[in-house]
């Protein structure tokens, strides 16, 4: 078999991606993924996040203050890492045929690497808006017709791609399991954004036992294995006593799970002002509102005067233009993300979040010094693109789940 020299590959990557893989990956990711602050130091077994839920006790009376002397009350979220992988594969014949044409070999590597990064970016872009269960959509009522699945929400179609293998479950991934069957999954062959449909290569109910309307849809292998996104930390409903990363969030719901506000039917600008006021009443300090692009369009059309501001990210080459809404607590920057469901919004603060990974996000595996390995089931060589990490909310009180 033809071989690919690891050092030559490294040089090729530097030529193809002079700003690094992470920069190229972020170009493929959704705005919210790029916006979130990042760190690459997620070492150890877990990441402990310690929000304060009770201050040091005091009193106007010195004697009482002395008796009530105490340390702040903390909770401790034990956040664990989640893995994500994509395999870059180049056929041995392509390598052999390109030995005398470095440009052709680089092109072959770039096509495969770009596709792998796009897949990882799509997964992260979907996961950051969800609850950690891994679901990327849900089947509509009367949504299965032989090989065709109609989604309950058109918004979810951006999370699917041709060739993706799909599993189903009656649960959203936070409990339960995927449905069995032979083979237990279907493969996407076509997508229609206008109709809200996904066409598969096999009969859905034949390939997946018990498949039915309102089932949740997962990329194969993702059930219960996604990062804990915004709405895992700031859920649509007030949390129960069920532990979240080891914490019973009913101890202080607002400080441990943010807040929630339905704004159905309200003028959007007025609703935003009300949401900010409610948060500020108990100490929340938002600076950003995320919504679906369609909702942002509605807000822009309804506002009489408009001002915009540049929003910078950790990547100096990427920034966004945000619409500003004036509130009693200052200007709120409004941004859109196609993966944010149209019916909800997230009022939040940027420095309350951290996307923490172990090493670069993403990076190539090369612990044994080999970046390329011979495939066992094909006449090709492969490289493993991977990421290990999770999203953490450092101060949930600064976030509110809005319903339009």
């Amino acid at each position: 078999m033809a071989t690919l020299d690891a050092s030559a590959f490294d040089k090729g990557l530097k030529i193809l991606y002079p700003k690094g893989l992470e920069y190229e990956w972020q170009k493929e990711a959704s705005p919210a993924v790029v916006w979130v602050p990042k760190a690459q130091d997620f070492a150890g077994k877990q990441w402990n996040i310690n929000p304060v839920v009770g201050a040091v006790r005091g009193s106007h009376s010195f004697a009482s203050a002395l008796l009530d002397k105490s340390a702040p009350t903390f909770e401790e979220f034990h956040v664990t890492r989640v893995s994500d992988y994509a395999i870059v594969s180049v056929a041995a014949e392509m390598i052999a045929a390109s030995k005398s044409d470095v440009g052709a070999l680089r092109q072959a590597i770039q096509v495969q690497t770009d596709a792998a990064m796009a897949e990882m970016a799509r997964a992260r872009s979907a996961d950051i808006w969800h609850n950690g269960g891994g679901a990327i959509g849900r089947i509509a009522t009367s949504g299965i017709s032989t090989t065709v699945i109609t989604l309950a929400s058109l918004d979810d179609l951006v999370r699917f791609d041709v060739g993706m293998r799909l599993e189903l479950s009656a649960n959203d991934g936070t409990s339960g399991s995927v449905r069995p069957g032979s083979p237990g999954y279907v493969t996407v062959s076509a997508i229609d954004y206008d109709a809200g449909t996904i066409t598969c290569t096999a009969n859905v109910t034949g390939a997946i036992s018990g498949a039915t309307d309102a089932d949740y849809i997962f990329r194969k292998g993702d059930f219960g294995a996604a990062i804990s996104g915004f709405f895992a930390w700031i859920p649509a409903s007030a949390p129960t006593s069920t532990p979240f990363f080891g914490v019973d969030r009913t101890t202080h719901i607002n400080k441990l799970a943010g807040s929630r506000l339905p704004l159905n039917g309200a003028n959007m600008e007025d609703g935003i002002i009300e949401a900010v006021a409610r948060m500020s009443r108990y100490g929340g300090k938002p600076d950003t509102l995320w919504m679906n692009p369609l909702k942002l369009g509605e807000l822009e059309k309804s506002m009489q005067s408009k001002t915009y501001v540049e929003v910078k990210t950790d990547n100096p080459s990427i920034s966004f233009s945000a619409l500003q809404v004036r509130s009693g607590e200052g200007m709120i920057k409004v941004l859109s993300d196609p993966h944010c469901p149209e019916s909800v919004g997230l009022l939040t603060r940027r420095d309350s979040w951290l996307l923490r990974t172990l090493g670069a996000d993403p990076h190539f595996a090369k612990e044994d010094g080999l970046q390329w390995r011979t495939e066992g089931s094909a006449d090709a060589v492969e490289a493993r693109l991977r990421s290990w990490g999770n999203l953490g909310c450092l101060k949930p009180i600064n976030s509110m789940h809005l319903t339009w």
Side-chain angles (χ1 to χ4, degrees):
M1 176 184 286
T3 59
L4 185 62
D5 180 76
S7 62
F9 176 76
D10 285 340
K11 292 177 183 177
L13 281 181
K14 290 177 181 177
I15 294 171
L16 291 171
Y17 309 111
K19 295 183 179 180
L21 281 175
E22 189 172 12
Y23 169 77
E24 297 297 330
W25 173 81
Q26 287 186 22
K27 286 167 57 179
E28 296 288 340
S30 71
V33 173
V34 181
W35 171 84
V36 168
K38 299 170 184 64
Q40 299 179 4
D41 59 353
F42 195 161
K45 182 180 179 181
Q46 63 192 27
W47 169 20
N48 297 332
I49 298 177
N50 304 102
V52 178
V53 295
V56 173
R57 304 276 63 80
S59 173
H60 289 301
S61 162
F62 177 77
S64 294
L66 193 61
L67 288 172
D68 289 341
K69 182 176 64 174
S70 64
T73 302
F74 297 92
E75 289 290 354
E76 188 167 271
F77 293 105
H78 298 157
V79 181
T80 52
R81 288 184 293 271
V82 173
S83 303
D84 194 20
Y85 299 94
I87 307 300
V88 181
S89 179
V90 181
E93 182 180 0
M94 170 62 74
I95 296 171
S98 303
K99 279 187 174 180
S100 59
D101 186 350
V102 177
L105 182 54
R106 285 180 188 155
Q107 183 179 16
I109 293 171
Q110 183 170 19
V111 167
Q112 295 291 332
T113 305
D114 285 353
M117 286 195 294
E119 175 68 9
M120 295 184 76
R122 181 185 297 107
R124 179 68 56 77
S125 298
D127 292 346
I128 204 169
W129 284 105
H130 287 81
N131 63 1
I136 57 175
R138 198 170 187 183
I139 300 175
T141 303
S142 302
I144 299 178
S145 178
T146 60
T147 62
V148 177
I149 294 173
T150 301
L151 296 186
S153 173
L154 288 173
D155 297 333
D156 294 337
L157 279 168
V158 297
R159 302 174 190 132
F160 294 82
D161 199 14
V162 172
M164 187 180 287
R165 294 189 295 174
L166 307 177
E167 295 177 315
L168 301 179
S169 175
N171 305 100
D172 65 359
T174 57
S175 64
S177 60
V178 295
R179 294 193 184 280
S182 180
Y185 64 86
V186 290
T187 303
V188 179
S189 60
I191 297 172
D192 187 333
Y193 285 142
D194 294 324
T197 59
I198 296 168
T199 302
C200 305
T201 56
N203 187 305
V204 177
T205 55
I208 302 174
S209 300
T212 188
D213 298 334
D215 267 1
Y216 290 91
I217 310 172
F218 302 80
R219 187 177 63 162
K220 191 174 188 304
D222 283 1
F223 183 92
I227 67 168
S228 295
F230 294 135
F231 295 144
W233 289 94
I234 315 297
S237 300
T240 65
S241 59
T242 301
F244 177 72
F245 288 126
V247 174
D248 173 0
R249 295 188 284 179
T250 61
T251 301
H252 197 311
I253 290 175
N254 299 98
K255 289 186 176 181
L256 298 173
S259 52
R260 285 135 287 278
L261 181 65
L263 294 172
N264 307 71
N267 173 277
M268 292 183 69
E269 190 173 0
D270 291 346
I272 294 167
I273 293 170
E274 179 184 351
V276 174
R278 284 175 177 263
M279 284 187 67
S280 66
R281 181 177 61 183
Y282 47 74
K285 301 182 184 299
D287 63 12
T288 304
L289 171 62
W290 283 98
M291 56 176 59
N292 184 275
L294 293 175
K295 282 298 179 184
L296 179 58
E298 288 182 28
L299 177 62
E300 287 182 299
K301 287 186 289 186
S302 69
M303 293 178 66
Q304 295 299 316
S305 61
K306 306 175 184 68
T307 57
Y308 297 84
V309 65
E310 182 183 21
V311 176
K312 296 185 178 182
T313 68
D314 288 351
N315 191 325
S317 301
I318 302 178
S319 62
F320 305 106
S321 177
L323 176 68
Q324 289 197 111
V325 173
R326 186 180 300 278
S327 76
E329 298 299 314
M331 303 300 289
I332 301 297
K333 298 179 283 290
V334 186
L335 293 163
S336 69
D337 189 306
H339 290 269
C340 176
E342 186 180 351
S343 61
V344 302
L346 178 69
L347 182 62
T348 189
R349 185 177 182 88
R350 184 172 184 266
D351 61 14
S352 294
W353 299 94
L354 184 63
L355 181 58
R356 196 174 184 192
T357 56
L358 177 58
D361 184 28
H363 63 273
F364 278 104
K366 52 179 179 180
E367 282 77 10
D368 56 4
L370 297 175
Q371 204 145 276
W372 288 90
R373 296 169 176 81
T374 300
E375 289 191 33
S377 59
D379 189 17
V381 293
E382 67 179 26
R384 299 171 186 172
L385 194 62
R386 69 190 181 194
S387 174
W388 298 313
N390 214 328
L391 178 70
C393 187
L394 310 180
K395 202 167 183 179
I397 198 170
N398 286 333
S399 294
M400 176 180 278
H401 187 296
L402 302 179
T403 307
W404 306 116

